[in-house]
Amino acid sequence: ELIRVVRSPEGEVSLDFGGKKNGRGAYICPNPECLKKAIRSKALDRSLEVTIPEEVYQRLEKEMENG
């Protein structure tokens, strides 16, 4: 199951587990290797057209660890 990262119309970036939040969304697989690759290539930054805050990456990492 993919994890949705969403940028709200106000520019706030957050994780969306319900898939219902308004805004531009991007999906990432729940695999630490996918996350490392996305961070390196700045894929989420490009998809959401915003710089992703470090806290969002940390929260993604925790979610993947907890599975």
Side-chain angles (χ1 to χ4, degrees):
E1 187 172 304
L2 298 175
I3 299 171
R4 183 171 188 243
V5 182
V6 66
R7 184 197 71 207
S8 71
E10 296 79 34
E12 183 181 322
V13 178
S14 61
L15 302 183
D16 180 13
F17 296 102
K20 304 263 190 247
K21 288 186 180 178
N22 286 336
R24 184 178 184 94
Y27 293 87
I28 185 166
C29 66
N31 177 322
E33 286 305 312
C34 287
L35 179 59
K36 286 178 189 172
K37 188 175 177 183
I39 292 170
R40 240 186 348 260
S41 68
K42 296 198 180 289
L44 290 174
D45 299 61
R46 283 195 315 275
S47 294
L48 298 178
E49 300 171 348
V50 69
T51 301
I52 305 296
E54 185 61 34
E55 308 87 68
V56 172
Y57 286 129
Q58 290 171 356
R59 179 139 183 246
L60 274 168
E61 206 170 315
K62 279 191 179 123
E63 289 299 326
M64 290 177 186
E65 288 172 3
N66 297 335

